[in-house]
Amino acid sequence: MAQEVRGVLAPGKGERVRIETVTVPDPGPGEAVVRVQACGVCHTDLHYRQGGIGEDFPYLLGHEAAGLVEEVGDGVTEVAPGDFVILNWRAVCGRCRACRRGRPWYCFDTHNARQKMTTANGTVLTPALGIGAFAEKTLVAAGQCTKVDPSVSPSVAGLLGCGVMAGIGAAVNTGAVGRGDSVAVIGCGGVGNAAVAGARLAGAARIIAVDLDDRKLATASALGATHTVNSRDRDPVEAIRGLTGGHGADVVIEAVGRPETYRQAFYARDLAGTVVLVGVPTPEMQLEIPLLDVFGRGGALKSSWYGDCLPSRDFPMLIDLHLQGRLDLGAFVSETIALDEIEDAFTRMQAGDVLRSVVVM
């Protein structure tokens, strides 16, 4: 029968979040109920609260999560009750043209649970990114559950559900960083610093971190940056060129999502180099770059959606690397908090005081 749990809702545009009772239905065909153990506080959740993603209020926030499968519906074979899983927001269909061409990370028909969670009075909730994990339990499509080694701490495992995977994937998957490459990362929040860690994993010889905040640059150094540039003090394009023999970096990852930082990334890459945009712009932003410069500099201009990841491939691998001591996911966790502390966590995130606050339940 349906269960009642506590969950964090964004009731309206710009309104403070609040805890309410959420009704979670029994899983239907292809669905699973997951008992959430930990969920990171991501900028995306704040964007939902601010109305920057949609107007389908009330939202059940939270999406960067890990927990235990409690119950599955008919036809579910990939996970079973008791499995420890990371939740992802791109359950691939296996049937669209991308999937049929062997590129499921580009799946054009990802899906979520068909049934809806509601408030106690029956108001339908919109789960953030189809997950809604700022709740003691949530209902998802079974394909959104990726089974990983249960010995990992839930507070670090859940980070792969969004920001850390986006950053690592921007370097490893989208940017295809190779051994000996030079890499620059512009913007060293959670996603940007994950890109630094990804570049290190891939064997980059020179990793240049760029930000306005020395605290974030210190974290970047701890995660593998060989050089840091505070762009309040130095022109980042000139600094990156100066650190790469005057040429520019082989791969520049833009993790801010603004026209001015994208232009910096474009001109900070070497000829025939690659720019990867993983920062998320807002709808009104426009970019102007001379078309002749696009033609003349060659190379590739790419966008990275969720790090071009395939959760079934990437999540278990990265958890194994963490458990082997080769990827410090714990470095991204600034604090652990309770479910009723999320509004305060948004404030600290906006001030740049944390990489990630993680709700532990």
Side-chain angles (χ1 to χ4, degrees), residues 51-54 257 280-287:
I53 293 179
V280 182
T282 53
E284 75 280 0
M285 290 179 178
Q286 301 288 323
L287 176 68

Side-chain angles (χ1 to χ4, degrees), residues 89-99 104 106-112 114:
W89 41 272
R90 285 185 59 78
V92 301
C93 71
R95 301 179 302 274
C96 71
R97 60 192 185 279
C99 289
Y106 294 140
C107 179
F108 301 133
D109 193 22
T110 57
H111 57 283
N112 305 315
R114 292 182 178 274

Side-chain angles (χ1 to χ4, degrees), residues 73-132:
D74 291 343
V76 175
T77 58
E78 56 265 51
V79 291
D83 284 346
F84 178 69
V85 297
I86 299 172
L87 299 181
N88 73 78
W89 41 272
R90 285 185 59 78
V92 301
C93 71
R95 301 179 302 274
C96 71
R97 60 192 185 279
C99 289
R100 291 198 307 269
R101 294 173 69 187
R103 301 171 185 171
W105 50 90
Y106 294 140
C107 179
F108 301 133
D109 193 22
T110 57
H111 57 283
N112 305 315
R114 292 182 178 274
Q115 298 184 90
K116 300 295 184 182
M117 293 178 280
T118 65
T119 62
N121 66 8
T123 301
V124 172
L125 298 171
T126 304
L129 291 177
I131 293 178

Side-chain angles (χ1 to χ4, degrees), residues 9-23:
L9 274 57
K13 185 175 181 177
E15 296 181 30
R16 291 176 62 87
V17 300
R18 62 180 184 232
I19 293 180
E20 289 195 20
T21 298
V22 174
T23 300

Side-chain angles (χ1 to χ4, degrees), residues 15 20 36 53 63 66 128 133-134 138 151 155 170 213 231 235 248 282 298 326 328 331:
E15 296 181 30
E20 289 195 20
V36 179
I53 293 179
H63 59 281
F134 284 155
T138 190
S151 65
S155 63
D213 190 329
S231 53
D235 178 81
T282 53
R326 298 163 64 190
D328 185 9

Side-chain angles (χ1 to χ4, degrees), residues 83-352:
D83 284 346
F84 178 69
V85 297
I86 299 172
L87 299 181
N88 73 78
W89 41 272
R90 285 185 59 78
V92 301
C93 71
R95 301 179 302 274
C96 71
R97 60 192 185 279
C99 289
R100 291 198 307 269
R101 294 173 69 187
R103 301 171 185 171
W105 50 90
Y106 294 140
C107 179
F108 301 133
D109 193 22
T110 57
H111 57 283
N112 305 315
R114 292 182 178 274
Q115 298 184 90
K116 300 295 184 182
M117 293 178 280
T118 65
T119 62
N121 66 8
T123 301
V124 172
L125 298 171
T126 304
L129 291 177
I131 293 178
F134 284 155
E136 293 162 326
K137 298 179 184 181
T138 190
L139 176 75
V140 295
Q144 294 178 270
C145 300
T146 304
K147 186 177 177 180
V148 297
D149 190 325
S151 65
V152 69
S153 167
S155 63
V156 300
L159 300 182
L160 291 179
C162 189
V164 172
M165 184 69 254
I168 292 175
V172 175
N173 296 332
T174 315
V177 173
R179 295 186 301 275
D181 280 351
S182 58
V183 178
V185 178
I186 298 177
C188 294
V191 173
N193 270 326
V196 168
R200 182 185 188 183
L201 276 176
R206 183 158 299 204
I207 305 170
I208 304 162
V210 180
D211 202 275
L212 300 168
D213 190 329
D214 285 331
R215 296 171 298 177
K216 294 179 180 179
L217 292 173
T219 301
S221 294
L223 287 166
T226 59
H227 301 79
T228 61
V229 175
N230 188 316
S231 53
R232 289 188 188 276
D233 306 325
R234 303 164 64 189
D235 178 81
V237 175
E238 293 305 316
I240 291 167
R241 287 178 176 171
L243 290 166
T244 54
H247 306 300
D250 296 311
V251 180
V252 183
I253 298 168
E254 201 276 41
V256 181
R258 296 190 60 84
E260 54 268 41
T261 46
Y262 188 88
R263 282 192 294 271
Q264 290 170 355
F266 180 85
Y267 289 109
R269 67 183 175 128
D270 197 358
L271 295 173
T274 298
V275 174
V276 176
L277 174 64
V278 68
V280 182
T282 53
E284 75 280 0
M285 290 179 178
Q286 301 288 323
L287 176 68
E288 286 192 18
I289 292 178
L291 191 57
L292 183 61
D293 287 358
V294 175
F295 174 77
R297 297 182 67 83
L301 308 177
K302 297 183 175 183
S303 299
S304 185
W305 183 255
Y306 204 4
D308 287 338
C309 80
L310 184 60
S312 60
R313 174 195 66 195
D314 295 336
F315 289 5
M317 173 192 67
L318 293 172
I319 290 297
D320 287 347
L321 290 175
H322 170 71
L323 292 173
Q324 293 165 14
R326 298 163 64 190
L327 174 62
D328 185 9
L329 294 175
F332 293 91
V333 180
S334 303
E335 61 179 0
T336 55
I337 62 173
L339 199 60
D340 60 1
E341 297 178 274
I342 289 171
E343 189 67 45
D344 291 337
F346 283 150
T347 300
R348 291 190 290 274
M349 180 174 63
Q350 287 181 293

